[in-house]
């Protein structure tokens, strides 16, 4: 019971207590394959030409299922979302996207969690806002729903997109 209460207390904390030390720092360097095509090698430069939402997700993550519809909606509105498939199975992840829709411009396949470790990922889902220079501007631990998008991400994303035009 104490463990459950402690976990519940942790989940109810203000997200600001979990802010990354990487805010206003460069997105970590990495060399990983694309989830959708293991022959395509991705690096930091692939997410450094436009403002993007980088969403850490996995098939084993129940909360990722809850936020996925919102990500699909954002993608249809033209929001650029890059997936970071975290400690997952490539085939299961591709099947998952085929069944639920794929909101991602592409997904980085982080099978052993190395990029997640460099980002300080607590688990999935986590969402980062990265500007066109590859600098992390915001981080959210937990589900991005309509309320979170409107109150934490939208204005900053749109201002970063406006700087790009």
């Amino acid at each position: 019971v104490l463990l459950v209460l402690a976990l519940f207390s942790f989940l109810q904390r203000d997200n600001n207590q979990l802010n990354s030390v990487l805010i206003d720092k460069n997105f970590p360097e990495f060399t990983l394959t694309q989830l959708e095509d293991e022959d395509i090698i991705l690096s930091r430069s692939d997410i450094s030409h436009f403002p993007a939402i980088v969403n850490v997700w996995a098939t084993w993550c129940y909360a990722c299922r809850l936020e996925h519809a919102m990500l699909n909606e954002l993608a249809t509105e033209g929001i650029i979302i890059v997936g970071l498939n975290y400690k997952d199975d490539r085939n299961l992840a591709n099947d998952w996207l085929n069944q639920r829709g794929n909101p991602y411009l592409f997904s980085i396949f982080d099978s052993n969690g190395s990029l997640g470790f460099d980002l300080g990922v607590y688990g999935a889902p986590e969402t980062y806002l990265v500007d066109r220079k590859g600098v992390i501007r915001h981080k959210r631990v937990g589900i991005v729903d309509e309320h979170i998008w409107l109150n934490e991400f939208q204005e900053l994303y749109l201002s970063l997109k406006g700087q790009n035009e």
Side-chain angles (χ1 to χ4, degrees), residues 122-147:
Y122 294 93
E126 291 190 16
T127 306
Y128 299 80
L129 176 55
V130 180
D131 71 16
R132 62 185 168 90
K133 295 180 182 175
V135 176
I136 298 170
R137 297 300 179 187
H138 185 67
K139 175 183 178 181
R140 173 74 184 179
V141 175
I143 294 171
V144 173
D145 58 16
E146 184 176 11
H147 175 78

Side-chain angles (χ1 to χ4, degrees), residues 77 129 148-159:
E77 294 173 10
L129 176 55
I148 297 300
W149 171 254
L150 293 174
N151 290 293
E152 289 187 27
F153 284 94
Q154 185 179 41
E155 185 177 335
L156 183 55
Y157 178 86
L158 293 175
S159 72

Side-chain angles (χ1 to χ4, degrees), residues 53-64:
I53 301 297
V54 177
N55 177 253
V56 179
W57 69 280
T59 59
W60 47 260
C61 165
Y62 180 76
C64 296

Side-chain angles (χ1 to χ4, degrees), residues 41-52:
I41 305 298
L42 300 170
S43 68
R44 182 177 168 266
S45 67
D46 291 299
I47 61 170
S48 298
H49 305 293
F50 41 76

Side-chain angles (χ1 to χ4, degrees), residues 21-111:
V21 296
L22 294 178
I23 299 298
D24 296 327
K25 303 276 190 325
N26 287 332
F27 196 87
E29 291 288 345
F30 67 93
T31 304
L32 293 167
T33 61
Q34 186 183 79
L35 173 68
E36 300 88 341
D37 184 344
E38 62 187 281
D39 293 329
I40 297 176
I41 305 298
L42 300 170
S43 68
R44 182 177 168 266
S45 67
D46 291 299
I47 61 170
S48 298
H49 305 293
F50 41 76
I53 301 297
V54 177
N55 177 253
V56 179
W57 69 280
T59 59
W60 47 260
C61 165
Y62 180 76
C64 296
R65 296 170 192 257
L66 298 176
E67 83 172 349
H68 197 74
M70 182 66 189
L71 297 177
N72 281 326
E73 182 180 324
L74 292 173
T76 63
E77 294 173 10
I79 305 302
I80 296 173
I81 307 171
V82 172
L84 174 56
N85 183 248
Y86 181 66
K87 294 185 176 182
D88 210 346
D89 176 271
R90 185 185 300 272
N91 293 328
L92 289 176
N94 278 310
D95 289 346
W96 197 85
L97 290 175
N98 288 333
Q99 292 169 5
R100 290 176 172 79
N102 187 347
Y104 305 113
L105 181 62
F106 57 85
S107 280
I108 303 160
F109 185 56
D110 189 15
S111 63

